[in-house]
Amino acid sequence: MEITLKRDGLTLRGDLIKPETEKCPIAIIFHGLMANRNAEMFTSIADALLEKGLASVRFDFDGHGESDGDFSDMTVYSEVLDAAKIIDYVKELDFVTDIYIVGHSQGALVGGMIAGYYREYVSKLAMLAPAATIKDDAQVGNCFGKKYDTFNTPEHIELFNHEKERFLLDDVYMRIARTLPVYETTSMFRGKTLIIHGENDEAVGVIGAKRYAECMDNVTLNIIENETHGLDTISLENVVTQVAEFLSE
């Protein structure tokens, strides 16, 4: 079922999938930077959860996919605001028994932060290749491999996704990234957490996943040998299975 939400005048577009049961848990699925809600990883997770009797909702963040907004105006904080609106929507659904969060890359970073902010509503958290090192990189002038002078931050940085689509990232993204309270917020979450990260992730360092495991309670950390940032070189089916089993336990 297609659904829309309004956040500060922007329309966020998403999909809700629900099993034919009166009550069930629901997982909120957050995509990463330059991705969208219909990437294979997220539709596969939604399908696997449905088979296990769980509902799911997945939205395009502002400036992504079918949601409103310009990509250049997007920041981690704007996505946190999107996520907060989605949480508000989900917690009012009358069939929901528990709320879980699943995120990949920047979606995992945002998902972890929102789980900390809304810890009384979220029961489980799954972070896939969490992009916690966005902050570290911003402090030294590195934006996904593009180097820049942190004292003369460029107005835009040009990025390309796997499909070679061009995106312009505004300077406010880098300025905000330098001071993100990544671990301070996420560590406020006290529920069970699953973290999966590829050993050969060149986009965001695996050190971020290890730091989460050190500062959070109830964490299962799985570092996959020879796997990359997308977790789809050799492991997508296994990752989907792990997430579905973790959330349906």
Side-chain angles (χ1 to χ4, degrees), residues 16-224:
L16 171 66
I17 300 176
K18 178 185 177 298
E20 294 182 2
T21 54
E22 184 177 349
K23 300 283 185 179
C24 66
I26 189 169
I28 302 172
I29 301 173
F30 294 133
H31 67 76
L33 189 73
M34 298 185 289
N36 63 71
R37 71 185 194 273
N38 291 321
E40 182 181 3
M41 172 184 284
F42 313 122
T43 58
S44 297
I45 290 173
D47 290 342
L49 293 177
L50 185 64
E51 289 183 4
K52 291 185 175 293
L54 279 70
S56 66
V57 63
R58 60 189 198 277
F59 276 87
D60 289 328
F61 282 120
D62 66 285
H64 291 80
E66 297 178 333
S67 289
D68 288 354
D70 293 328
F71 180 84
S72 60
D73 295 330
M74 176 275 312
T75 69
V76 171
Y77 278 146
S78 77
E79 292 196 351
V80 168
L81 293 176
D82 294 344
K85 186 61 67 174
I86 297 167
I87 285 273
D88 286 340
Y89 166 78
V90 166
K91 63 188 180 69
E92 297 302 322
L93 294 173
D94 58 8
F95 68 85
V96 171
T97 58
D98 293 280
I99 298 174
Y100 308 145
I101 288 177
V102 182
H104 174 253
S105 191
Q106 183 165 295
L109 168 64
V110 171
M113 293 176 69
I114 209 71
Y117 287 135
Y118 286 80
R119 57 185 178 179
E120 68 268 41
Y121 295 106
V122 180
S123 301
K124 292 182 182 180
L125 171 65
M127 294 193 289
L128 312 177
T133 53
I134 282 176
K135 178 178 180 178
D136 302 80
D137 291 340
Q139 289 177 341
V140 298
N142 181 9
C143 183
F144 301 99
K146 299 290 183 70
K147 304 296 178 61
Y148 62 93
D149 182 354
T150 58
F151 289 94
N152 295 281
T153 303
E155 291 185 5
H156 300 285
I157 285 183
E158 186 180 55
L159 301 176
F160 294 89
N161 64 9
H162 290 299
E163 286 73 41
K164 305 302 180 183
E165 296 173 300
R166 177 176 176 268
F167 294 82
L168 284 181
L169 201 58
D170 197 82
D171 66 318
V172 70
Y173 178 95
M174 283 79 78
R175 298 179 191 279
I176 287 175
R178 294 171 194 156
T179 59
L180 288 173
V182 177
Y183 306 105
E184 298 91 330
T185 54
T186 309
S187 63
M188 293 190 295
F189 178 67
R190 293 291 185 265
K192 290 184 178 179
T193 300
L194 171 67
I195 303 174
I196 303 175
H197 211 117
E199 180 185 45
N200 295 341
D201 190 335
E202 295 182 353
V204 295
V206 71
I207 186 62
K210 295 177 179 178
R211 289 174 183 162
Y212 279 125
E214 291 172 356
C215 71
M216 297 174 68
D217 298 328
N218 302 316
V219 173
T220 298
L221 174 60
N222 181 9
I223 298 176
I224 304 177

